[in-house]
Amino acid sequence: MTAATTAATVALPSKGHVLIVSNRLPVTVRESKRGIVVEPSAGGLASGLRPYFQSASATWIGWPGPLSASLSDAARSSLDAQMSLHHLRLVELGKKDVVDYYDGFSNAVIWPLFHYLLDRIPLRSQNWEAYQRVNRRFADAVVAQYQPGDVVWVHDYHLMLVPALVRERLPDAQIGFFLHIPFPAPEVFRILPWRRELLMGVLGADLVGFHTPSYARHFAAAVRAQCGIDPAHDCVRVDGRAVRLGHFPMGPDAEQFERLAIDPAVQEEAARIREDSRGRFLFLGVDRLDYTKGIPRRLVAFERLLQRDPSLRDRVRLIQLAVPSREGVSEYASFRKQVEELVGRINGSVGTLDSVPIHYLHRAVTLEQLTALYCAADAMLVTPLRDGMNLVAKEFVASRVDDDGVLLLSEFAGAAEELSEAVIINPYDENGMADNMAQALAMSPDERTARMRALRRRVVGQRPNTWAQGFLSALAEAADSRGRPERLTNPNEIEGLMRRVTSAPRVVLVLDYDGTLVGLREMPELAAPDASLLGLLAVLGSTCEVHLASGRPRDVIEGWFGDVPIALWAEHGLWHRPAPGAPWELRAEVATDWIPEIRALFEDFVARAPGSRIEQKFASIVWHYRLVEPGVAAQHVTELRRELETRLAGRPLEVMDGHKLLEVRQTAVDKGTVVRDIVARAPQGSLFVAIGDDRTDEDMFAALPADGVAIRVGAGDSSAPYRLASPMAVRALLGALT
Ligand code: ADQ
């Protein structure tokens, strides 16, 4: 998986007006005595996107946070005016939506799951309905706002269904999706009962972006495991549409932090903070008060540092800034209590008469104050248990125009994939973290400078605008190369086709079996024909010429269809039986001496890939892997294909990919030769109709005469001009012909 682009490489302006869609607007709205007050909100998504939003032709669609249900008319019109002035469109959420969709599903289920904190997921999570309902409301808001040419950019885990919901109604729209949090390993993601729905929702986009290559890889693996689609490189094909995956590491507005860092007022504030610390070594933590940020373990590690070396108690200090977050969620209220009790306990146990080691603040601060803190700190502690990116780490680096200060950074933050010169820590290891804090304390000025210079080279130059433009130009490219979505043939066209078939003097049907007349089953022997299908074929066989052309062995086909008045073709046309009672004919002389060797190879793979099995025919052999875990299967398929290609080189055999199978078969015959035979024997004026669902059936379509009718069943690339959804639809069509 490679990046479709990175923030630093592309900066083409996007042409259309951009509709940014996120759960929260970048502002909060409150009612004061002076009327409605609209204020910027904190948090990574808002601070990361705001600069781009302010400079672009864009409208931001989202929820402004809880609003009083009883806004006066005057307040309401003032709110509307301010929203429109700032290019904001409200999606209002009722109390129940907030409780069920926002707190109950997004923040109580997806958030902990994607951060690998499985024990935080509530026992009863019945809010999936609400999640779907609110996602539909956001999609409605997008469609209402959308003008042709607009670009729709959906953000984050609250709105994972929106891309597909919008795609349904605006099939040609440019739709992007960016996930700000980690995408977990597929083994973790699969825990979610609605895993497939979320993936399919996101795959409505043209481009799906993540902070790091590993999240994109996890997503591709989850798509393979849950949706049965094999992503190729950075592309997932959904209903004929190409969906691109890419990584776009977000950075803060580095220039703004650099500018603030040299502002005299900020420098004065930093000096004041240092003075206040009276020469103590200053550790700093800045986080939203969230259980993913690793604050308790960080505090315990700090305590351990002071327990190990009591002489440090008057010589170090930790300022921990915790910005209030999701205060409506009960988990967060009890988490706050836990942190505050811990701070109290640690200060009580390792504090001295002169020193309270942890200075804890539970509030937001201004950007100037934040930068002053970054500049004043000796070491910054960024120790999340998991974090999509973590902008605080990068903001600290951007602010250190003095090339000084130590960054301790969790290996589980996305930022760690870029900021490898930081002191990388394991946030679950309190003793190790205490060692790392001691390392920071003892670090020589030369080493501090060397590390910070290297970090700054990475961060300086990162700008939210470049990031957003990078994503949007990759989105424009992805939408350009999306391809024509596969489209089912509509009822009018089907009617036209029926008229043509029923008015033809003579009709010849060539039908594939598996996937065409019956659905694909876990095991091939489960796909026997039912009585209604046998009845349908018998009636068809008595009114027109019917050929059943299958890749199955002849004994199976004979067993199932021996008495039906149709012509049978088995093993992709190697065997033919023209009518009931007639003997089977072998249509080509083929070698079978290679089979024992290849069978031994297949047996080796069956042993390695539990659930897979071998099907042996007269002159071909198949490895079926439908029941194998998709990730495991993908590895083995690649390996087996490579091995087969080496062993079979120069022989008249080919390796064919079918639906969850690899088949080694003869090149002497295929379903194309079957159709050519049928056409050659049929009387002049016959209309040929071929129906099939996989690659082998494309050979039949290609062999049809120019006025023949090719019908593809289900998804996948095809030359057929007609497409039906399923075997049910095929049977309905054939039923209508009788
Ligand atoms: P967050 O979880 O919110 O973001 P982060 O990336 O660190 O995490 O962003 C926090 C932002 O809030 C920073 O810009 C910081 O300056 C600001 N902030 C923090 N404490 C503050 C305080 N006390 N006062 C004022 N401002 C404060 C989510 C994901 C991250 C991802 C971002 C962006 O969880 O992993 O990096 O989105 O995609």
Side-chain angles (χ1 to χ4, degrees):
M1 189 76 42
T2 54
T5 180
T6 61
T9 52
V10 188
L12 297 173
S14 124
K15 284 187 289 270
H17 184 79
V18 179
L19 304 181
I20 297 176
V21 194
S22 72
N23 172 67
R24 286 297 290 260
L25 285 173
V27 294
T28 51
V29 175
R30 72 185 162 82
E31 231 182 330
S32 80
K33 283 190 198 109
R34 285 177 291 117
I36 292 288
V37 183
V38 177
E39 289 165 332
S41 59
L45 194 160
S47 54
L49 261 179
R50 195 181 289 114
Y52 166 75
F53 175 59
Q54 285 163 350
S55 67
S57 159
T59 299
W60 198 318
I61 300 173
W63 175 52
L67 284 180
S68 158
S70 54
L71 282 186
S72 64
D73 288 349
R76 171 61 64 182
S77 58
S78 147
L79 175 63
D80 290 347
Q82 294 205 53
M83 290 292 113
S84 124
L85 178 73
H86 297 296
H87 304 279
L88 303 170
R89 292 289 170 276
L90 292 187
V91 176
E92 290 185 48
L93 300 183
K95 263 206 185 107
K96 192 163 162 46
D97 295 331
V98 176
V99 171
D100 295 347
Y101 142 82
Y102 180 61
D103 296 343
F105 198 80
S106 307
N107 289 334
V109 178
I110 305 185
W111 177 266
L113 178 72
F114 281 33
H115 288 87
Y116 295 73
L117 298 169
L118 309 184
D119 55 344
R120 294 266 179 181
I121 301 172
L123 211 50
R124 287 158 61 84
S125 50
Q126 295 165 318
N127 298 315
W128 169 241
E129 291 291 319
Y131 187 81
Q132 294 174 87
R133 182 180 69 237
V134 174
N135 271 251
R136 279 196 293 272
R137 290 247 303 281
F138 273 86
D140 290 344
V142 173
V143 173
Q145 189 66 34
Y146 181 85
Q147 298 290 324
D150 283 357
V151 176
V152 180
W153 190 6
V154 183
H155 290 264
D156 231 3
Y157 62 99
H158 315 84
L159 302 178
M160 295 176 81
L161 305 178
V162 170
L165 291 167
V166 174
R167 172 75 58 210
E168 262 169 39
R169 292 156 70 184
L170 303 172
D172 298 324
Q174 259 189 49
I175 306 174
F177 179 83
F178 188 83
L179 185 70
H180 289 260
I181 65 175
F183 193 92
E187 274 307 289
V188 170
F189 179 71
R190 70 189 283 202
I191 289 169
L192 196 69
W194 309 277
R195 55 208 182 177
R196 191 170 183 281
E197 286 85 342
L198 286 191
L199 294 172
M200 292 311 289
V202 168
L203 290 173
D206 293 308
L207 173 66
V208 182
F210 304 88
H211 280 304
T212 72
S214 48
Y215 304 155
R217 266 199 310 277
H218 289 164
F219 181 82
V223 167
R224 177 178 293 122
Q226 307 304 336
C227 306
I229 305 174
D230 262 334
H233 196 46
D234 63 350
C235 176
V236 184
R237 292 201 76 85
V238 186
D239 302 333
R241 223 168 19 89
V243 181
R244 301 278 160 187
L245 310 181
H247 65 273
F248 305 84
M250 192 186 218
D253 191 344
E255 217 171 74
Q256 179 185 38
F257 282 95
E258 287 190 297
R259 218 171 30 242
L260 282 171
I262 53 170
D263 181 300
V266 171
Q267 286 185 336
E268 211 172 286
E269 174 72 3
R272 200 195 54 70
I273 296 167
R274 294 213 57 85
E275 226 166 78
D276 223 36
S277 301
R278 284 180 287 147
R280 293 187 184 94
F281 188 96
L282 197 59
F283 287 102
L284 174 66
V286 172
D287 312 81
R288 270 191 314 99
L289 188 57
D290 191 296
Y291 55 77
T292 61
K293 301 289 180 184
I295 299 170
R297 288 176 192 271
R298 178 190 310 166
L299 297 177
V300 169
F302 184 67
E303 179 185 32
R304 203 141 303 166
L305 177 77
L306 301 192
Q307 281 168 340
R308 281 187 197 163
D309 181 356
S311 77
L312 288 177
R313 293 179 186 184
D314 285 323
R315 289 169 35 217
V316 300
R317 186 179 196 205
L318 165 59
I319 298 181
Q320 176 61 56
L321 206 61
V323 67
S325 182
R326 302 177 192 166
E327 295 194 301
V329 184
S330 62
E331 279 275 280
Y332 283 74
S334 59
F335 179 67
R336 176 179 172 189
K337 199 158 159 264
Q338 182 199 343
V339 169
E340 292 180 355
E341 281 172 6
L342 196 56
V343 170
R345 187 185 64 66
I346 295 173
N347 276 338
S349 84
V350 291
T352 68
L353 284 178
D354 288 328
S355 169
V356 179
I358 304 175
H359 185 118
Y360 170 81
L361 285 167
H362 179 245
R363 61 177 163 86
V365 295
T366 64
L367 206 56
E368 288 73 14
Q369 289 168 319
L370 188 62
T371 314
L373 279 163
Y374 288 147
C375 293
D378 290 295
M380 180 85 214
L381 302 177
V382 181
T383 65
L385 304 177
R386 289 279 161 180
D387 213 334
M389 172 52 74
N390 194 291
L391 294 179
V392 166
K394 291 182 168 182
E395 289 169 5
F396 170 67
V397 172
S399 306
R400 296 313 295 250
V401 288
D402 59 351
D403 288 339
D404 197 6
V406 184
L407 174 63
L408 280 79
L409 178 59
S410 162
E411 62 186 279
F412 302 121
E417 290 193 29
E418 290 172 87
L419 304 183
S420 41
E421 292 83 1
V423 175
I424 300 293
I425 60 108
N426 175 354
Y428 286 91
D429 175 7
E430 290 102 2
N431 284 322
M433 259 196 289
D435 294 344
N436 297 133
M437 290 177 188
Q439 182 191 351
L441 270 160
M443 197 178 280
S444 71
D446 284 353
E447 183 176 346
R448 283 164 65 137
T449 304
R451 285 180 185 261
M452 184 51 78
R453 281 202 180 132
L455 291 171
R456 286 181 57 75
R457 276 197 288 277
R458 204 88 18 85
V459 169
V460 170
Q462 290 195 341
R463 304 287 307 273
N465 278 9
T466 334
W467 175 81
Q469 293 294 4
F471 182 91
L472 290 168
S473 42
L475 171 57
E477 239 172 74
D480 262 0
S481 60
R482 173 198 304 145
R484 214 162 47 86
E486 285 159 11
R487 186 181 63 79
L488 292 180
T489 306
N490 69 39
N492 286 343
E493 289 169 287
I494 297 277
E495 248 175 60
L497 174 63
M498 289 295 295
R499 274 196 301 278
R500 219 182 119 203
V501 176
T502 47
S503 62
R506 212 186 123 76
V507 175
V508 180
L509 293 175
V510 191
L511 308 173
D512 167 53
Y513 181 64
D514 293 278
T516 299
L517 296 175
V518 292
L520 299 170
R521 303 290 304 266
E522 289 88 345
M523 296 188 284
E525 56 270 38
L526 297 179
D530 49 87
S532 89
L533 177 62
L534 291 171
L536 174 66
L537 290 176
V539 177
L540 275 174
S542 61
T543 52
C544 54
E545 185 180 324
V546 180
H547 296 262
L548 188 90
S550 169
R552 295 234 185 200
R554 96 193 125 119
D555 52 336
V556 173
I557 294 294
E558 172 71 30
W560 285 346
F561 302 101
D563 300 332
V564 185
I566 56 176
L568 302 177
W569 303 78
E571 235 175 305
H572 307 290
L574 183 62
W575 293 96
H576 175 46
R577 190 222 65 177
W584 282 87
E585 302 157 11
L586 183 64
R587 292 178 60 239
E589 283 308 320
V590 287
T592 54
D593 57 334
W594 53 274
I595 290 186
E597 181 197 340
I598 300 301
R599 185 172 177 108
L601 176 68
F602 278 20
E603 273 161 6
D604 186 27
F605 275 80
V606 168
R608 286 199 251 163
S612 70
R613 55 193 297 184
I614 297 169
E615 183 188 10
Q616 187 167 338
K617 308 179 195 174
F618 175 75
S620 57
I621 185 164
V622 190
W623 182 61
H624 290 272
Y625 59 86
R626 182 164 296 273
L627 297 182
V628 180
E629 199 280 313
V632 174
Q635 265 175 10
H636 290 315
V637 168
T638 313
E639 201 185 323
L640 179 55
R641 196 186 295 110
R642 203 178 310 125
E643 184 65 33
L644 287 170
E645 274 156 14
T646 316
R647 295 203 194 187
L648 301 175
R651 300 204 195 204
L653 296 167
E654 66 172 345
V655 183
M656 191 207 66
D657 281 289
H659 289 302
K660 307 280 179 196
L661 59 85
L662 270 190
E663 176 163 12
V664 179
R665 63 170 205 178
Q666 309 288 339
T667 47
V669 287
D670 59 29
K671 288 187 184 178
T673 66
V674 169
V675 168
R676 276 189 284 278
D677 248 28
I678 295 170
V679 172
R681 290 188 214 163
Q684 281 285 319
S686 301
L687 176 65
F688 298 90
V689 179
I691 314 183
D693 77 309
D694 71 15
R695 226 203 68 195
T696 60
D697 302 316
E698 295 298 317
D699 294 334
M700 352 194 243
F701 300 157
L704 286 171
D707 62 348
V709 177
I711 305 178
R712 166 81 179 205
V713 186
D717 284 344
S718 176
S719 64
Y722 297 94
R723 191 184 292 270
L724 295 177
S726 64
M728 293 305 281
V730 175
R731 290 195 196 192
L733 182 95
L734 296 176
L737 280 182
T738 62

